[in-house]
Amino acid sequence: MVLVIIAYVVYAAFWVRLSLHTITWLKAARRLSPGNAAPRVNLFLTFFSTALDLIFFRRLFDSNKLLWLGSWLFHTAFFVVMLHHLRYFLEPVPDCIVRVQPLGVSAGYLMAFSLVYVILLRTATRTRYVSYQNYLILGLVLLISATGLLMRNYFPPDLVDVKSFIMGLVALRPTPLHAGFFFSLHFLLALLLVPFLPFHLFTAPFVAFEARRREDLLGEVMHDR
Amino acid sequence: MAKDKGSQADRIARGLSRRQLIEIEACSRCGECLLWCPAYPHDAREEMTARWKIGRLRRMVSEDALPTDTSVFLDSLYACSACGQCHVVCPIRIDTPDLWEQARQALAAVGLDQPGPQKELMAAISECNNSYRKPQSERGRWAERAWRAGLLHAPVKVWVEQPSSVLYFAGCTASFDPAMQPVAVQSVRLLQEAGVEFAILGQDEPCCASKLRRVGDRLFPKEAVKRAEMLASRKVKTIVVSCAGCFKGLHSDYRGILSPDIEVLHLSEFLYRLIANGKLKPRYAVPLSITYHDPCHLGRHNRIYEEPRRVLRSIPGIRLVEMRRSGPFSACCGMGGGLKLARPDLQKEMSVSRIREAEATGAEAVVTPCQTCLMGLAAGTADASSALTVFHLNEMLVRSLCPDVTAENIASAFEKENE
């Protein structure tokens, strides 16, 4: 029952925080620039370029290829693992999610290994640039990943119980959990991660899109290209 | 969250744009900014990093209170040349230079003012229309002197007397600093060599006011509008700017302010256009091994990387070698963003560091198309006791086209006139 309460507190805190931030953004006066309208760009092309920037981490590829390799593999694997986990949240499970299940297991290993690679690479760099918050987030994800793999290989939980627990949470009709220590730990760690992640995930695509749009605008006022 | 409408923190939040408020939420503190920052190796405190400054801004906005270490935050905000390296390497591309400039403006609006030397700069521009506190009547004098000294084919026309298709905008530094006046003289001589019909504004040429934007002066938009209206009223169609700072000002900071009918080009772009059209044909060999320094305002801020290099490659005899950090990753010499005024010690170390990087290429000289970088790097060679020479891009071209107007010849001709 404690897990259920924590889950709802984290969920509520997330939405409250997001709402308050949205209100601040809406209230903030847009900086006024008098005079003529700036040239327009093709927003579809800008959107497409931004999508490529985000999917392939192009900026990181340009600046740090070794880190890009680990980082891109990690995020891709993370995405596939999230898709894999959707089977606990949906009933009936869509066909596409069923198909991704075998891939999800491999992605789980890839996620853990790429994360270890990223941590080693960042700690081995001559300039110590990893912040405590970085360590906290990376450590949390690594623990979540490790507990997931432990459950997969050595301590399998009762998946029916796990699914009914998650579905109960989603439907606001919580049911007791009997899935064992490792699932409880895995779930608790995932809840702990939520307060650290959301805004980066939600705002990064907008920031990248805006940057690309401004860069494209620059192209419009440049010459000889 | 900023709830108290009258609080300083709330007013700072309102001074940032919506995009910037989202940007400060988007930083994941990954630290790529720190890894590439050209200032950080010389002052390795977390407070120097982009992620720390963004974190402090986020805290101000979200907690509706100024942090207890506001003075540290102010120092770190101004101990930055806003070179944009952190923007280039940021995985989600937070526009840091714009954020720092806007934050400086938002902080100044609530009484957290610019450091003293920067306020003095703002006052000079506002009172004298140039950062050198010189009378405007002296602004176009370099052109008259160059003609009298026989350095030009013809006297330079002044716009009020004879409007032209091209306006050459020299900027404050090349107009007033005797050490940089050769840049202006060489620029007009090269335009004459190519047969370009052009004029200068002379004593009517204003300071572009971009330095006001760099240090977060709230008067910048108003001042920019005044200048944009003046240029439109003169029916200017093409502006050629030889200063990278003025170029960033007129081309980028004035976007949405300057009439879209006015084309703003950096001199290096224009020279390349003239070379490509066959109007300028470098002829004498310049046997020199050089490395090229990308000015931040031209490169990272406006993506002009290739044109100056193409100009250099068109000159026979020149061997161009790249530094370890070049193009979008070029290390800043520290002369931008008001850093030299706020932290001269840091600027000096950044210049020396860049000179060391240039030395590592084995080149004999560093070439840059920005007179501000030229000043910083030249001082850097002296501080580093380096054998390297620093040249403006113009110098390479005049050596190949009209060697009678080398910087040395111009300086000595002007000196003779002074005597």
Side-chain angles (χ1 to χ4, degrees):
Chain A
M1 204 56 199
V2 176
L3 266 186
V4 172
I5 293 167
I6 295 174
Y8 283 133
V9 168
V10 168
Y11 186 68
F14 166 75
W15 282 108
V16 168
R17 198 173 155 218
L18 182 64
S19 311
L20 288 173
H21 278 272
T22 309
I23 290 167
T24 307
W25 300 331
L26 292 175
K27 281 198 308 189
R30 194 183 286 274
R31 194 166 79 242
L32 294 174
S33 56
N36 310 295
R40 299 177 75 84
V41 291
N42 184 332
L43 287 183
F44 175 75
L45 285 179
T46 305
F47 179 82
F48 185 68
S49 308
T50 308
L52 291 180
D53 285 347
L54 290 171
I55 292 169
F56 295 107
F57 292 16
R58 288 204 297 210
R59 274 289 164 113
L60 194 57
F61 180 80
D62 289 342
S63 65
N64 195 337
K65 290 188 175 50
L66 285 176
L67 185 63
W68 172 84
L69 179 67
S71 202
W72 188 78
L73 285 176
F74 165 72
H75 282 86
T76 308
F78 191 94
F79 178 69
V80 176
V81 167
M82 288 297 104
L83 286 181
H84 173 85
H85 277 63
L86 278 181
R87 67 173 167 157
Y88 301 114
F89 293 82
L90 302 168
E91 188 56 47
V93 181
D95 206 33
C96 55
I97 301 297
V98 173
R99 281 188 200 164
V100 93
Q101 293 307 306
L103 198 61
V105 177
S106 317
Y109 289 103
L110 185 60
M111 181 176 144
F113 287 126
S114 56
L115 195 55
V116 171
Y117 169 81
V118 167
I119 292 173
L120 287 177
L121 197 66
R122 301 189 100 199
T123 47
T125 310
R126 197 160 53 90
T127 308
R128 300 269 169 236
Y129 71 105
V130 186
S131 67
Y132 292 117
Q133 191 175 352
N134 281 159
Y135 278 126
L136 186 70
I137 294 174
L138 293 175
L140 264 176
V141 178
L142 190 61
L143 281 173
I144 294 167
S145 182
T147 49
L149 290 174
L150 278 173
M151 280 191 285
R152 171 83 202 167
N153 294 308
Y154 302 108
F155 308 102
D158 180 345
L159 291 182
V160 175
D161 191 43
V162 166
K163 177 135 186 175
S164 70
F165 173 72
I166 300 283
M167 292 298 290
L169 271 182
V170 172
L172 301 178
R173 283 192 297 272
T175 55
L177 175 69
H178 308 289
F181 172 75
F182 279 98
F183 174 73
S184 302
L185 183 61
H186 185 71
F187 187 65
L188 184 67
L189 291 168
L191 289 178
L192 280 177
L193 186 66
V194 173
F196 293 102
L197 284 185
F199 290 101
H200 168 58
L201 289 176
F202 286 120
T203 51
F206 170 80
V207 172
F209 175 79
E210 270 296 299
R212 173 60 73 174
R213 190 178 68 83
R214 276 172 290 123
E215 223 169 73
D216 289 349
L217 277 174
L218 193 60
E220 289 296 307
V221 288
M222 296 307 290
H223 322 285
D224 295 341
R225 59 190 81 212
Chain B
M1 200 53 46
K3 291 176 286 294
D4 179 3
K5 279 189 176 177
S7 76
Q8 277 184 313
D10 185 63
R11 283 160 61 204
I12 291 169
R14 284 164 189 275
L16 302 177
S17 70
R18 222 171 274 181
R19 167 175 62 79
Q20 288 166 333
L21 286 169
I22 296 173
E23 281 180 337
I24 59 178
E25 289 291 342
C27 174
S28 67
R29 302 178 60 78
C30 70
E32 279 298 300
C33 49
L34 181 159
L35 210 55
W36 289 89
C37 174
Y40 184 78
H42 311 293
D43 187 351
R45 292 176 294 138
E46 179 66 18
E47 291 90 320
M48 290 294 291
T49 65
R51 70 176 174 195
W52 187 87
K53 283 177 270 196
I54 289 175
R56 279 298 178 279
L57 278 171
R58 179 163 45 199
R59 196 182 286 179
M60 271 186 215
V61 172
S62 62
E63 294 176 5
D64 189 25
L66 294 182
T68 48
D69 53 0
T70 301
S71 62
V72 179
F73 175 63
L74 266 177
D75 289 345
S76 80
L77 198 56
Y78 287 98
C80 168
S81 61
C83 73
Q85 185 65 82
C86 42
H87 165 60
V88 164
V89 299
C90 174
I92 56 163
R93 316 160 99 202
I94 294 174
D95 189 349
T96 43
D98 197 40
L99 181 60
W100 308 148
E101 287 166 5
Q102 194 60 27
R104 287 170 181 181
Q105 186 176 311
L107 288 160
V110 298
L112 299 167
D113 286 345
Q114 289 86 352
Q118 303 199 342
K119 284 171 91 170
E120 167 53 28
L121 172 82
M122 285 154 54
I125 294 173
S126 143
E127 289 159 23
C128 309
N129 208 359
N130 66 72
S131 48
Y132 288 80
R133 285 200 173 277
K134 292 277 177 75
Q136 274 293 96
S137 53
E138 284 181 20
R139 196 179 262 274
R141 203 158 284 170
W142 58 269
E144 296 158 21
R145 295 178 73 195
W147 168 242
R148 281 201 302 270
L151 300 166
L152 303 175
H153 292 315
V156 178
K157 293 168 194 162
V158 179
W159 196 276
V160 281
E161 292 159 9
Q162 196 166 349
S164 186
S165 56
V166 173
L167 168 68
Y168 169 64
F169 192 96
C172 300
T173 304
S175 297
F176 294 114
D177 185 337
M180 291 301 134
Q181 281 173 341
V183 172
V185 176
Q186 289 175 337
S187 298
V188 297
R189 174 64 186 268
L190 286 169
L191 295 179
Q192 289 181 343
E193 289 286 329
V196 176
E197 195 200 316
F198 70 97
I200 60 169
L201 285 171
Q203 62 180 14
D204 292 339
E205 183 184 285
C207 168
C208 70
S210 65
K211 282 180 180 167
L212 299 182
R213 174 65 188 154
R214 303 285 84 79
V215 298
D217 191 327
R218 280 182 297 160
L219 291 178
F220 171 72
K222 206 172 126 192
E223 293 296 318
V225 168
K226 270 199 269 179
R227 286 152 174 81
E229 283 173 355
M230 184 275 283
L231 291 166
S233 72
R234 300 280 162 97
K235 297 190 170 40
V236 172
K237 290 289 170 214
T238 301
I239 306 176
V240 175
V241 192
S242 56
C243 167
C246 297
F247 176 72
K248 160 131 174 146
L250 294 168
H251 180 265
S252 313
D253 297 331
Y254 279 44
R255 195 170 315 145
I257 297 174
L258 191 66
S259 163
D261 299 331
I262 301 177
E263 182 183 41
V264 182
L265 293 164
H266 186 260
L267 180 71
S268 59
E269 287 181 288
F270 197 69
L271 289 175
Y272 174 66
R273 198 183 268 189
L274 295 171
I275 291 168
N277 292 343
K279 289 183 178 163
L280 271 184
K281 288 181 186 153
R283 45 181 183 270
Y284 306 118
V286 182
L288 204 58
S289 165
I290 60 161
T291 187
Y292 176 77
H293 170 78
D294 289 275
C296 307
H297 289 156
L298 214 56
R300 271 189 289 275
H301 296 209
N302 281 296
R303 292 191 297 161
I304 297 177
Y305 301 113
E306 272 310 305
E307 290 82 347
R309 286 178 168 82
R310 285 180 195 153
V311 169
L312 290 170
R313 285 193 198 105
S314 73
I315 300 170
I318 278 193
R319 192 172 75 88
L320 178 62
V321 279
E322 293 291 353
M323 283 186 255
R324 186 177 63 86
R325 285 179 67 165
S326 65
F329 302 99
S330 173
C332 173
C333 65
M335 289 295 281
L339 176 70
K340 190 176 165 58
L341 295 174
R343 285 284 305 273
D345 58 318
L346 195 55
Q347 186 280 319
K348 188 172 160 177
E349 289 185 55
M350 287 164 72
S351 266
V352 168
S353 176
R354 188 61 171 158
I355 288 298
R356 295 276 177 245
E357 213 177 303
E359 280 177 334
T361 63
E364 298 159 83
V366 187
V367 174
T368 183
C370 167
Q371 55 246 36
T372 315
C373 294
L374 177 63
M375 287 194 286
L377 292 171
T381 52
D383 293 329
S385 306
S386 171
L388 279 176
T389 316
V390 187
F391 293 119
H392 192 276
L393 178 81
N394 284 358
E395 178 74 14
M396 298 294 100
L397 212 45
V398 298
R399 284 188 183 195
S400 184
L401 277 158
C402 38
D404 56 312
V405 286
T406 58
E408 205 180 342
N409 288 353
I410 296 169
S412 95
F414 278 12
E415 256 171 47
K416 265 185 208 158
E417 204 196 50
N418 287 342
E419 286 162 9

PDB file of all heavy atoms in Angstrom, chain B residues 197-219:
ATOM      1  N   GLU B 197      31.387  50.376 -56.712  1.00  0.00           N
ATOM      2  CA  GLU B 197      30.938  51.729 -56.410  1.00  0.00           C
ATOM      3  C   GLU B 197      30.385  51.721 -54.987  1.00  0.00           C
ATOM      4  O   GLU B 197      29.456  50.960 -54.677  1.00  0.00           O
ATOM      5  CB  GLU B 197      29.839  52.117 -57.395  1.00  0.00           C
ATOM      6  CG  GLU B 197      29.558  53.600 -57.419  1.00  0.00           C
ATOM      7  CD  GLU B 197      28.196  53.894 -57.995  1.00  0.00           C
ATOM      8  OE1 GLU B 197      27.869  53.266 -59.032  1.00  0.00           O
ATOM      9  OE2 GLU B 197      27.472  54.694 -57.404  1.00  0.00           O
ATOM     10  N   PHE B 198      30.984  52.487 -54.119  1.00  0.00           N
ATOM     11  CA  PHE B 198      30.566  52.452 -52.709  1.00  0.00           C
ATOM     12  C   PHE B 198      30.745  53.828 -52.082  1.00  0.00           C
ATOM     13  O   PHE B 198      31.371  54.714 -52.663  1.00  0.00           O
ATOM     14  CB  PHE B 198      31.384  51.418 -51.927  1.00  0.00           C
ATOM     15  CG  PHE B 198      32.827  51.813 -51.729  1.00  0.00           C
ATOM     16  CD1 PHE B 198      33.242  52.420 -50.541  1.00  0.00           C
ATOM     17  CD2 PHE B 198      33.771  51.603 -52.728  1.00  0.00           C
ATOM     18  CE1 PHE B 198      34.572  52.812 -50.363  1.00  0.00           C
ATOM     19  CE2 PHE B 198      35.089  52.000 -52.559  1.00  0.00           C
ATOM     20  CZ  PHE B 198      35.498  52.602 -51.381  1.00  0.00           C
ATOM     21  N   ALA B 199      30.189  53.948 -50.870  1.00  0.00           N
ATOM     22  CA  ALA B 199      30.383  55.191 -50.102  1.00  0.00           C
ATOM     23  C   ALA B 199      30.432  54.832 -48.622  1.00  0.00           C
ATOM     24  O   ALA B 199      30.101  53.699 -48.246  1.00  0.00           O
ATOM     25  CB  ALA B 199      29.229  56.148 -50.374  1.00  0.00           C
ATOM     26  N   ILE B 200      30.882  55.785 -47.820  1.00  0.00           N
ATOM     27  CA  ILE B 200      30.854  55.589 -46.364  1.00  0.00           C
ATOM     28  C   ILE B 200      29.931  56.658 -45.768  1.00  0.00           C
ATOM     29  O   ILE B 200      29.602  57.629 -46.448  1.00  0.00           O
ATOM     30  CB  ILE B 200      32.265  55.689 -45.731  1.00  0.00           C
ATOM     31  CG1 ILE B 200      32.890  57.064 -45.989  1.00  0.00           C
ATOM     32  CG2 ILE B 200      33.162  54.576 -46.240  1.00  0.00           C
ATOM     33  CD1 ILE B 200      34.158  57.331 -45.184  1.00  0.00           C
ATOM     34  N   LEU B 201      29.533  56.469 -44.543  1.00  0.00           N
ATOM     35  CA  LEU B 201      28.655  57.459 -43.924  1.00  0.00           C
ATOM     36  C   LEU B 201      29.450  58.601 -43.307  1.00  0.00           C
ATOM     37  O   LEU B 201      28.881  59.631 -42.947  1.00  0.00           O
ATOM     38  CB  LEU B 201      27.783  56.794 -42.846  1.00  0.00           C
ATOM     39  CG  LEU B 201      26.627  55.933 -43.373  1.00  0.00           C
ATOM     40  CD1 LEU B 201      25.983  55.158 -42.234  1.00  0.00           C
ATOM     41  CD2 LEU B 201      25.577  56.779 -44.078  1.00  0.00           C
ATOM     42  N   GLY B 202      30.758  58.401 -43.162  1.00  0.00           N
ATOM     43  CA  GLY B 202      31.585  59.454 -42.580  1.00  0.00           C
ATOM     44  C   GLY B 202      31.153  59.781 -41.163  1.00  0.00           C
ATOM     45  O   GLY B 202      30.929  58.883 -40.361  1.00  0.00           O
ATOM     46  N   GLN B 203      30.993  61.081 -40.895  1.00  0.00           N
ATOM     47  CA  GLN B 203      30.647  61.459 -39.520  1.00  0.00           C
ATOM     48  C   GLN B 203      29.212  61.082 -39.144  1.00  0.00           C
ATOM     49  O   GLN B 203      28.824  61.156 -37.987  1.00  0.00           O
ATOM     50  CB  GLN B 203      30.883  62.943 -39.287  1.00  0.00           C
ATOM     51  CG  GLN B 203      30.038  63.848 -40.150  1.00  0.00           C
ATOM     52  CD  GLN B 203      30.341  65.310 -39.853  1.00  0.00           C
ATOM     53  OE1 GLN B 203      31.329  65.639 -39.204  1.00  0.00           O
ATOM     54  NE2 GLN B 203      29.490  66.195 -40.337  1.00  0.00           N
ATOM     55  N   ASP B 204      28.434  60.638 -40.133  1.00  0.00           N
ATOM     56  CA  ASP B 204      27.066  60.183 -39.834  1.00  0.00           C
ATOM     57  C   ASP B 204      27.018  58.703 -39.463  1.00  0.00           C
ATOM     58  O   ASP B 204      25.959  58.178 -39.112  1.00  0.00           O
ATOM     59  CB  ASP B 204      26.150  60.397 -41.055  1.00  0.00           C
ATOM     60  CG  ASP B 204      25.934  61.877 -41.334  1.00  0.00           C
ATOM     61  OD1 ASP B 204      26.133  62.671 -40.388  1.00  0.00           O
ATOM     62  OD2 ASP B 204      25.597  62.223 -42.481  1.00  0.00           O
ATOM     63  N   GLU B 205      28.154  58.018 -39.596  1.00  0.00           N
ATOM     64  CA  GLU B 205      28.143  56.587 -39.258  1.00  0.00           C
ATOM     65  C   GLU B 205      27.950  56.442 -37.748  1.00  0.00           C
ATOM     66  O   GLU B 205      28.745  56.958 -36.972  1.00  0.00           O
ATOM     67  CB  GLU B 205      29.458  55.915 -39.680  1.00  0.00           C
ATOM     68  CG  GLU B 205      29.441  54.411 -39.412  1.00  0.00           C
ATOM     69  CD  GLU B 205      30.789  53.750 -39.728  1.00  0.00           C
ATOM     70  OE1 GLU B 205      31.093  53.578 -40.915  1.00  0.00           O
ATOM     71  OE2 GLU B 205      31.516  53.423 -38.767  1.00  0.00           O
ATOM     72  N   PRO B 206      26.906  55.711 -37.344  1.00  0.00           N
ATOM     73  CA  PRO B 206      26.695  55.566 -35.904  1.00  0.00           C
ATOM     74  C   PRO B 206      27.432  54.342 -35.372  1.00  0.00           C
ATOM     75  O   PRO B 206      27.867  53.489 -36.136  1.00  0.00           O
ATOM     76  CB  PRO B 206      25.188  55.324 -35.820  1.00  0.00           C
ATOM     77  CG  PRO B 206      24.867  54.601 -37.097  1.00  0.00           C
ATOM     78  CD  PRO B 206      25.862  55.055 -38.136  1.00  0.00           C
ATOM     79  N   CYS B 207      27.564  54.280 -34.064  1.00  0.00           N
ATOM     80  CA  CYS B 207      28.001  53.009 -33.462  1.00  0.00           C
ATOM     81  C   CYS B 207      26.850  52.039 -33.695  1.00  0.00           C
ATOM     82  O   CYS B 207      25.682  52.421 -33.577  1.00  0.00           O
ATOM     83  CB  CYS B 207      28.224  53.215 -31.966  1.00  0.00           C
ATOM     84  SG  CYS B 207      28.432  51.665 -31.065  1.00  0.00           S
ATOM     85  N   CYS B 208      27.154  50.802 -34.046  1.00  0.00           N
ATOM     86  CA  CYS B 208      26.077  49.843 -34.339  1.00  0.00           C
ATOM     87  C   CYS B 208      25.284  49.501 -33.080  1.00  0.00           C
ATOM     88  O   CYS B 208      24.207  48.924 -33.159  1.00  0.00           O
ATOM     89  CB  CYS B 208      26.640  48.582 -34.977  1.00  0.00           C
ATOM     90  SG  CYS B 208      27.611  47.594 -33.818  1.00  0.00           S
ATOM     91  N   ALA B 209      25.823  49.818 -31.924  1.00  0.00           N
ATOM     92  CA  ALA B 209      25.175  49.611 -30.615  1.00  0.00           C
ATOM     93  C   ALA B 209      25.105  48.143 -30.210  1.00  0.00           C
ATOM     94  O   ALA B 209      24.463  47.819 -29.211  1.00  0.00           O
ATOM     95  CB  ALA B 209      23.789  50.251 -30.577  1.00  0.00           C
ATOM     96  N   SER B 210      25.761  47.274 -30.978  1.00  0.00           N
ATOM     97  CA  SER B 210      25.674  45.852 -30.610  1.00  0.00           C
ATOM     98  C   SER B 210      26.332  45.584 -29.250  1.00  0.00           C
ATOM     99  O   SER B 210      25.957  44.646 -28.552  1.00  0.00           O
ATOM    100  CB  SER B 210      26.316  44.978 -31.691  1.00  0.00           C
ATOM    101  OG  SER B 210      27.698  45.239 -31.771  1.00  0.00           O
ATOM    102  N   LYS B 211      27.303  46.446 -28.890  1.00  0.00           N
ATOM    103  CA  LYS B 211      27.941  46.255 -27.583  1.00  0.00           C
ATOM    104  C   LYS B 211      26.926  46.463 -26.462  1.00  0.00           C
ATOM    105  O   LYS B 211      27.072  45.881 -25.385  1.00  0.00           O
ATOM    106  CB  LYS B 211      29.118  47.218 -27.416  1.00  0.00           C
ATOM    107  CG  LYS B 211      30.354  46.756 -28.175  1.00  0.00           C
ATOM    108  CD  LYS B 211      31.503  47.702 -28.010  1.00  0.00           C
ATOM    109  CE  LYS B 211      32.709  47.193 -28.802  1.00  0.00           C
ATOM    110  NZ  LYS B 211      33.741  48.204 -28.926  1.00  0.00           N
ATOM    111  N   LEU B 212      25.928  47.289 -26.716  1.00  0.00           N
ATOM    112  CA  LEU B 212      24.883  47.482 -25.710  1.00  0.00           C
ATOM    113  C   LEU B 212      24.132  46.167 -25.488  1.00  0.00           C
ATOM    114  O   LEU B 212      23.793  45.802 -24.366  1.00  0.00           O
ATOM    115  CB  LEU B 212      23.895  48.576 -26.140  1.00  0.00           C
ATOM    116  CG  LEU B 212      24.450  49.980 -26.344  1.00  0.00           C
ATOM    117  CD1 LEU B 212      23.335  50.946 -26.713  1.00  0.00           C
ATOM    118  CD2 LEU B 212      25.163  50.468 -25.082  1.00  0.00           C
ATOM    119  N   ARG B 213      23.877  45.478 -26.583  1.00  0.00           N
ATOM    120  CA  ARG B 213      23.189  44.183 -26.476  1.00  0.00           C
ATOM    121  C   ARG B 213      24.081  43.166 -25.754  1.00  0.00           C
ATOM    122  O   ARG B 213      23.613  42.382 -24.931  1.00  0.00           O
ATOM    123  CB  ARG B 213      22.819  43.683 -27.873  1.00  0.00           C
ATOM    124  CG  ARG B 213      22.220  42.290 -27.927  1.00  0.00           C
ATOM    125  CD  ARG B 213      20.888  42.218 -27.219  1.00  0.00           C
ATOM    126  NE  ARG B 213      20.403  40.836 -27.123  1.00  0.00           N
ATOM    127  CZ  ARG B 213      19.581  40.407 -26.174  1.00  0.00           C
ATOM    128  NH1 ARG B 213      19.143  41.228 -25.242  1.00  0.00           N
ATOM    129  NH2 ARG B 213      19.173  39.150 -26.152  1.00  0.00           N
ATOM    130  N   ARG B 214      25.383  43.188 -26.080  1.00  0.00           N
ATOM    131  CA  ARG B 214      26.313  42.221 -25.476  1.00  0.00           C
ATOM    132  C   ARG B 214      26.306  42.323 -23.950  1.00  0.00           C
ATOM    133  O   ARG B 214      26.398  41.330 -23.260  1.00  0.00           O
ATOM    134  CB  ARG B 214      27.762  42.433 -25.964  1.00  0.00           C
ATOM    135  CG  ARG B 214      28.008  42.374 -27.475  1.00  0.00           C
ATOM    136  CD  ARG B 214      27.968  40.971 -28.019  1.00  0.00           C
ATOM    137  NE  ARG B 214      26.627  40.522 -28.310  1.00  0.00           N
ATOM    138  CZ  ARG B 214      25.926  40.843 -29.402  1.00  0.00           C
ATOM    139  NH1 ARG B 214      26.433  41.596 -30.330  1.00  0.00           N
ATOM    140  NH2 ARG B 214      24.702  40.368 -29.586  1.00  0.00           N
ATOM    141  N   VAL B 215      26.220  43.569 -23.436  1.00  0.00           N
ATOM    142  CA  VAL B 215      26.303  43.725 -21.982  1.00  0.00           C
ATOM    143  C   VAL B 215      24.930  43.874 -21.333  1.00  0.00           C
ATOM    144  O   VAL B 215      24.827  44.137 -20.145  1.00  0.00           O
ATOM    145  CB  VAL B 215      27.223  44.913 -21.579  1.00  0.00           C
ATOM    146  CG1 VAL B 215      28.642  44.679 -22.058  1.00  0.00           C
ATOM    147  CG2 VAL B 215      26.694  46.234 -22.098  1.00  0.00           C
ATOM    148  N   GLY B 216      23.884  43.668 -22.120  1.00  0.00           N
ATOM    149  CA  GLY B 216      22.535  43.636 -21.545  1.00  0.00           C
ATOM    150  C   GLY B 216      21.940  45.000 -21.255  1.00  0.00           C
ATOM    151  O   GLY B 216      21.191  45.163 -20.295  1.00  0.00           O
ATOM    152  N   ASP B 217      22.250  46.000 -22.104  1.00  0.00           N
ATOM    153  CA  ASP B 217      21.665  47.327 -21.903  1.00  0.00           C
ATOM    154  C   ASP B 217      20.229  47.330 -22.430  1.00  0.00           C
ATOM    155  O   ASP B 217      19.981  46.957 -23.576  1.00  0.00           O
ATOM    156  CB  ASP B 217      22.507  48.375 -22.650  1.00  0.00           C
ATOM    157  CG  ASP B 217      22.120  49.797 -22.282  1.00  0.00           C
ATOM    158  OD1 ASP B 217      20.930  50.038 -22.007  1.00  0.00           O
ATOM    159  OD2 ASP B 217      23.006  50.663 -22.262  1.00  0.00           O
ATOM    160  N   ARG B 218      19.309  47.808 -21.583  1.00  0.00           N
ATOM    161  CA  ARG B 218      17.899  47.826 -21.978  1.00  0.00           C
ATOM    162  C   ARG B 218      17.614  48.796 -23.119  1.00  0.00           C
ATOM    163  O   ARG B 218      16.580  48.729 -23.761  1.00  0.00           O
ATOM    164  CB  ARG B 218      17.031  48.230 -20.777  1.00  0.00           C
ATOM    165  CG  ARG B 218      16.781  47.084 -19.827  1.00  0.00           C
ATOM    166  CD  ARG B 218      15.893  47.535 -18.715  1.00  0.00           C
ATOM    167  NE  ARG B 218      16.526  48.584 -17.916  1.00  0.00           N
ATOM    168  CZ  ARG B 218      15.856  49.427 -17.132  1.00  0.00           C
ATOM    169  NH1 ARG B 218      14.553  49.365 -17.076  1.00  0.00           N
ATOM    170  NH2 ARG B 218      16.491  50.325 -16.411  1.00  0.00           N
ATOM    171  N   LEU B 219      18.547  49.722 -23.349  1.00  0.00           N
ATOM    172  CA  LEU B 219      18.319  50.714 -24.394  1.00  0.00           C
ATOM    173  C   LEU B 219      18.579  50.160 -25.792  1.00  0.00           C
ATOM    174  O   LEU B 219      18.267  50.809 -26.789  1.00  0.00           O
ATOM    175  CB  LEU B 219      19.232  51.931 -24.172  1.00  0.00           C
ATOM    176  CG  LEU B 219      18.908  52.795 -22.957  1.00  0.00           C
ATOM    177  CD1 LEU B 219      19.921  53.910 -22.834  1.00  0.00           C
ATOM    178  CD2 LEU B 219      17.502  53.388 -23.101  1.00  0.00           C
TER     179      LEU B 219
END
